[in-house]
Amino acid sequence: MMRNLIAFTLMLLMVIGVNAENGHQLWLRFDRLEAESPVFSGINADKSKFAVKEFQQIWKEKTGKLLPVVSGQIDNQLIVGTRKDKNILSLGIDKELVRQGKEGYVIKTISKQNKTFTVVASADEKGLLYGVYHLLRILQTGEFNKALNISEKPSYSVRVLNHWDNLDGTIERGYAGRSIFWRYSEEHPTITDKDISLWREYARANASIGINGSVLNNVNASPKMLSEEYLLKVKAIASELRPYNIKVYLSINFSSPTNLGGLKTSDPLNPEVKMWWAKKVNEIYKLIPDFGGFLVKANSEGLPGPQDFGRTHADGANMLADALKPHGGIVMWRAFVYDAGKDDRAKLAYKEFMPLDGQFRDNVIIQVKNGPIDFQPREPFSPLFGAMKKTPLMPEVQITQEYLGFSNHLVFLSTMWEEFLESDTYCNGKGSTVAKTTDGTIFKQKLTAIAGVANIGLDANWCGHQFAQANWYAFGRLAWNNSLTSAKIADEWIKQTFSSDAKFVEPVKSMMLESREATVNYMMPLGLHHLFAYGHHYGPEPWCDVAGARQDWMPKYYHNASVKGIGFDRSTTGSNAVLQYFSPLKEDFNDANTCPDKYILWFHFLPWDFKMKSGRILWDELCYTYDKGVQQTREFQKNWDKAERFVDPERFTQVQNRLRIQAHDAVWWKDACLLYFQQFSKRPIPYDIERPVYKLDDLMKIKLDLTHHN
Ligand code: BDP
């Protein structure tokens, strides 16, 4: 009896366990389709098309049956097809479809003889897939109606995730488990059915938001990546991603000819080296005919590159570009370099790349991080945007939260990327936003692209934090349409992922929209940057001083706090970094009285009693801003607790627990930074804000156990 009871309980637990909500479905729930299904009387489409199959499969999964296929003209019919299909030809929208390009589409309501049709049409099958997902999205978010007139095409032609996955399955700066592509295995490369279904789910999720490329391995690339053994696995991954219009790309190690090929040199101008790459590229294309190309981190943070042989970045990039060109491949060459002599780190990429403007082949694009330093919670945009006029640049943003609380903190990064994309470079007069300098609007470049460093791992919910999924989602949506607002993106994501109930959507949306600013407030407000612990970039260590380490990896290099004040002088009295920006930005940034508060300590070293725009002195402003960040995280907790009745218990509790960690960490940040800086400011923390709850000495002893935070 007892044994039976135990067995029964175990079984019950297993069943509950299997059905428990773990977030794995992402935003692809489509649970409103059932309610909406009477919307269509049937589908008029060529069943053999992948987009149509995908639509029907989702429809069946959610409503229990396929949408009936019809051919005559029936009211409320859904018509899906490309311009070559009969059902579309008769509609007279051909010109419009051609205008949208291969990846674009239209969704329209057409009325004829008292009958209404919803049409999803495109020039090419690629666009059709995106059109179908758009339709599913608006059905799910309640935006579907009988008067649709949507035409869409992507802002960038290459919209790529950069996975920093190592071949042993670990992920550099990954906080959601191990790699979905690689793992250590004695009998490498083994591919299981589970891998394949996960890759398909991954591909569907990406395609549903418009991502069309995946770089499968870390920018700190192992030469082994290009060995036959691993290329065969890349081939297998590529074949699962291909139907979803996703190309694979690889990060390469510049010294592969030596380290993998056994050549004596990897000098890009050496004929044998060129030959080695050409052969390697041929081998890749034999396996993967639609291979996308290479991502290259060279002469950066100790990695090999063309400069090791007295050559330039252009020499290196062009050599690879020549090998890829006959196959249609591209080179994404990173500008994340800061080794060129002793100067302000924020200036170095510009100094190294500007002289090379115009020297790159037309299948090379330079990948530039959003800010001039390194994915900090807030940076001004990199001055390379707008400045390199003869070379296409692609923005690189970091979806994984290396510097924003890992997968413990709820930080909706869309507002950061929106701020960046909307930043005016003034390169071509007012309105020359970063978005417009990179998407072909201003410079008319043929090749346009954008990259996001992925936050995806083997965790059941893919991203560690349920709300980190929103960052994957937002990256895809902004890559597709770089003028979308974060409010719109958050709205869509919440409705698809959780609930459409306005009582849930509105407060959760405002929490998301505020979350990045809150994080800046409790971590490093007013333009402060890189106050992170040396080893892990999670917690604060403004005091950090590792003997013998690079100065530009030390927080002190950036904050310069002393009794005289705090900040980095990048004005004309300091490093002159302001001069890398166009007028009137350089003048605005150069004067502490006109420099926006959010960048003030980025560009200026200021005395503690500097009078801020608010009328407060700098020290007080700093204290109030840190405190504000803490209060904001407390509000997030309250907000979420109130939302309990709208959310399944599993996801509710997980988010609740992490908000608790975030609120705790915010106090840690505030106390650590204020108590440390107070030693120099020698002023009281304003008496109307919370007193520190920690002692500086204790905080300085913290050595983080990272496994806890992963
Ligand atoms: C830094 C990361 C490091 C990366 C590097 C990069 O700390 O792990 O390798 O960026 O982008 O932010 O290459």
Side-chain angles (χ1 to χ4, degrees):
M1 181 66 189
M2 194 61 189
R3 284 241 310 266
N4 281 349
L5 199 67
I6 295 175
F8 178 73
T9 318
L10 278 177
M11 212 176 75
L12 204 69
L13 279 177
M14 268 168 66
V15 172
I16 297 173
V18 167
N19 293 328
E21 170 61 81
N22 58 15
H24 189 72
Q25 290 182 72
L26 299 161
W27 49 87
L28 301 165
R29 288 156 194 273
F30 304 119
D31 47 7
R32 288 181 63 178
L33 290 191
E34 200 141 19
E36 303 286 350
S37 60
V39 150
F40 301 124
S41 54
I43 182 168
N44 178 335
D46 164 6
K47 291 194 286 204
S48 69
K49 288 206 159 53
F50 183 75
V52 177
K53 283 193 212 153
E54 181 72 354
F55 180 83
Q56 284 285 45
Q57 193 180 325
I58 291 174
W59 198 268
K60 187 165 174 215
E61 274 167 27
K62 299 301 162 182
T63 68
K65 50 189 183 303
L66 295 171
L67 206 53
V69 180
V70 293
S71 50
Q73 303 216 317
I74 301 168
D75 196 27
N76 286 341
Q77 192 177 129
L78 171 63
I79 304 177
V80 179
T82 65
R83 60 188 283 253
K84 295 201 186 115
D85 295 339
K86 269 202 236 119
N87 58 352
I88 302 300
L89 274 172
S90 60
L91 299 173
I93 54 172
D94 196 55
K95 272 201 194 124
E96 206 177 328
L97 296 182
V98 174
R99 251 201 322 269
Q100 295 315 110
K102 280 200 168 172
E103 293 191 309
Y105 55 86
V106 305
I107 304 179
K108 276 178 183 295
T109 309
I110 294 186
S111 295
K112 259 194 203 166
Q113 293 151 1
N114 290 336
K115 295 192 180 97
T116 310
F117 312 109
T118 301
V119 179
V120 181
S122 62
D124 187 272
E125 285 208 31
K126 291 184 171 139
L128 202 59
L129 189 60
Y130 298 130
V132 157
Y133 289 125
H134 191 134
L135 176 67
L136 287 164
R137 177 165 64 239
I138 57 181
L139 284 166
Q140 178 71 7
T141 54
E143 290 165 84
F144 179 82
N145 59 55
K146 293 282 182 65
L148 294 170
N149 192 9
I150 297 168
S151 345
E152 293 256 338
K153 61 177 168 196
S155 299
Y156 298 97
S157 55
V158 176
R159 307 174 295 280
V160 75
L161 285 182
N162 290 183
H163 289 268
W164 285 359
D165 295 17
N166 298 312
L167 299 181
D168 65 1
T170 57
I171 303 182
E172 178 148 350
R173 314 302 180 185
Y175 314 104
R178 296 172 75 85
S179 170
I180 63 167
F181 301 118
W182 314 106
R183 66 172 162 270
Y184 176 74
S185 155
E186 291 294 342
E187 321 100 282
H188 189 85
T190 40
I191 297 168
T192 64
D193 290 348
K194 224 166 122 198
D195 290 329
I196 291 183
S197 66
L198 196 66
W199 297 339
R200 280 188 199 154
E201 288 178 312
Y202 161 85
R204 177 188 273 185
N206 277 333
S208 76
I209 49 176
I211 289 169
N212 68 0
S214 300
V215 182
L216 301 179
N217 63 317
N218 193 354
V219 284
N220 297 315
S222 159
K224 259 205 301 201
M225 184 67 254
L226 297 180
S227 64
E228 197 197 347
E229 187 192 10
Y230 282 93
L231 289 178
L232 285 170
K233 188 155 186 191
V234 175
K235 176 187 162 138
I237 298 169
S239 64
E240 300 310 324
L241 272 43
R242 184 171 297 118
Y244 291 91
N245 188 32
I246 297 172
K247 284 188 181 182
V248 300
Y249 299 75
L250 293 175
S251 298
I252 59 110
N253 183 299
F254 200 78
S255 60
S256 299
T258 321
N259 291 337
L260 183 69
L263 300 191
K264 284 208 186 69
T265 175
S266 292
D267 178 352
L269 300 192
N270 177 297
E272 274 181 71
V273 171
K274 287 187 191 176
M275 184 82 83
W276 188 88
W277 280 108
K279 272 201 187 145
K280 190 43 90 181
V281 166
N282 288 342
E283 181 191 338
I284 297 174
Y285 278 90
K286 261 205 201 100
L287 295 171
I288 309 150
D290 55 353
F291 179 69
F294 294 145
L295 170 64
V296 193
K297 173 174 177 178
N299 292 122
S300 161
E301 300 191 322
L303 286 184
Q307 292 174 348
D308 303 348
F309 311 95
R311 315 296 184 195
T312 67
H313 287 287
D315 293 329
N318 291 343
M319 181 273 294
L320 294 171
D322 290 343
L324 287 158
K325 179 85 179 177
H327 308 276
I330 63 165
V331 175
M332 298 175 281
W333 189 272
R334 297 177 90 228
F336 180 59
V337 296
Y338 53 99
D339 268 335
K342 287 197 174 52
D343 200 346
D344 171 6
R345 173 169 166 185
K347 290 169 64 186
L348 297 176
Y350 184 100
K351 280 176 75 174
E352 242 179 277
F353 276 80
M354 276 308 283
L356 302 174
D357 193 15
Q359 292 184 26
F360 294 93
R361 300 278 194 268
D362 65 358
N363 57 335
V364 176
I365 188 159
I366 307 299
Q367 180 165 312
V368 183
K369 289 188 181 183
N370 58 289
I373 300 274
D374 189 7
F375 297 141
Q376 296 300 292
R378 171 165 275 133
E379 299 189 35
F381 68 89
S382 160
L384 278 169
F385 293 106
M388 282 184 89
K389 295 185 196 280
K390 290 178 270 172
T391 310
L393 300 193
M394 61 185 286
E396 177 184 359
V397 297
Q398 196 179 39
I399 311 171
T400 190
Q401 291 168 234
E402 173 182 0
Y403 295 102
L404 288 117
F406 294 4
S407 50
N408 281 341
H409 293 198
L410 187 162
V411 191
F412 183 48
L413 297 171
S414 182
T415 52
M416 164 148 96
W417 304 331
E418 188 183 348
E419 171 180 290
F420 158 65
L421 289 166
E422 288 309 305
S423 294
D424 200 340
T425 69
Y426 291 92
C427 70
N428 212 10
K430 198 170 162 46
S432 312
T433 60
V434 170
K436 289 185 183 154
T437 66
T438 52
D439 68 5
T441 310
I442 293 180
F443 296 134
K444 308 288 173 215
Q445 64 265 37
K446 273 199 299 185
L447 183 54
T448 60
I450 186 164
V453 180
N455 62 350
I456 296 160
L458 277 177
D459 274 8
N461 70 12
W462 302 88
C463 303
H465 197 306
Q466 302 291 347
F467 276 75
Q469 297 177 354
N471 293 331
W472 178 7
Y473 183 84
F475 170 74
R477 296 291 287 129
L478 282 170
W480 179 270
N481 179 352
N482 62 12
S483 61
L484 279 179
T485 65
S486 299
K488 164 85 175 110
I489 295 172
D491 194 270
E492 286 178 0
W493 179 80
I494 298 168
K495 287 177 176 162
Q496 293 173 89
T497 310
F498 286 107
S499 158
S500 288
D501 194 314
K503 292 198 201 76
F504 176 79
V505 176
E506 293 311 317
V508 171
K509 194 183 353 181
S510 61
M511 166 171 78
M512 288 171 76
L513 293 177
E514 202 183 315
S515 58
R516 182 270 185 145
E517 201 63 49
T519 309
V520 170
N521 289 342
Y522 64 71
M523 281 189 179
M524 38 200 94
L526 303 179
L528 288 173
H529 47 293
H530 229 309
L531 305 183
F532 294 98
Y534 183 70
H536 50 71
H537 299 168
Y538 183 79
E541 267 184 23
W543 50 82
C544 170
D545 202 357
V546 176
R550 282 178 71 139
Q551 279 316 294
D552 55 4
W553 286 357
M554 292 301 116
K556 288 182 178 173
Y557 172 91
Y558 300 97
H559 65 66
N560 294 299
S562 73
V563 288
K564 291 199 185 123
I566 182 170
F568 199 125
D569 186 1
R570 297 194 164 104
S571 74
T572 43
T573 57
S575 82
N576 268 324
V578 289
L579 298 182
Q580 294 182 340
Y581 292 92
F582 290 91
S583 288
L585 277 187
K586 66 170 102 177
E587 292 81 8
D588 283 356
F589 289 160
N590 194 41
D591 180 348
N593 294 306
T594 53
C595 182
D597 279 357
K598 61 183 177 189
Y599 302 135
I600 199 159
L601 299 179
W602 181 283
F603 287 113
H604 297 276
F605 177 86
L606 298 173
W608 295 106
D609 62 354
F610 178 81
K611 219 26 184 315
M612 301 290 289
K613 295 180 191 72
S614 64
R616 292 184 186 129
I617 59 163
L618 171 61
W619 166 250
D620 287 354
E621 186 83 12
L622 201 63
C623 294
Y624 282 112
T625 317
Y626 270 107
D627 187 61
K628 182 170 180 201
V630 170
Q631 301 313 324
Q632 284 169 304
T633 61
R634 302 248 165 86
E635 288 304 313
F636 296 164
Q637 289 184 284
K638 290 182 203 155
N639 225 313
W640 186 248
D641 281 359
K642 276 187 238 156
E644 181 166 8
R645 67 194 165 102
F646 299 99
V647 190
D648 48 276
E650 294 86 1
R651 287 189 295 171
F652 175 77
T653 312
Q654 211 189 90
V655 173
Q656 187 186 46
N657 285 338
R658 296 200 179 204
L659 284 172
R660 200 174 286 148
I661 299 176
Q662 185 169 5
H664 169 272
D665 288 348
V667 177
W668 175 24
W669 269 97
K670 164 179 169 267
D671 286 2
C673 295
L674 291 185
L675 291 173
Y676 174 75
F677 292 138
Q678 192 178 30
Q679 301 177 112
F680 307 107
S681 81
K682 302 189 187 299
R683 287 166 192 272
I685 292 172
Y687 296 111
D688 55 343
I689 64 178
E690 270 184 37
R691 314 325 289 161
V693 294
Y694 297 110
K695 278 175 26 203
L696 183 58
D697 285 350
D698 294 337
L699 293 177
M700 288 176 72
K701 280 184 215 134
I702 294 180
K703 285 286 161 247
L704 212 57
D705 169 11
L706 273 181
T707 48
H708 167 71
H709 284 274
N710 262 319

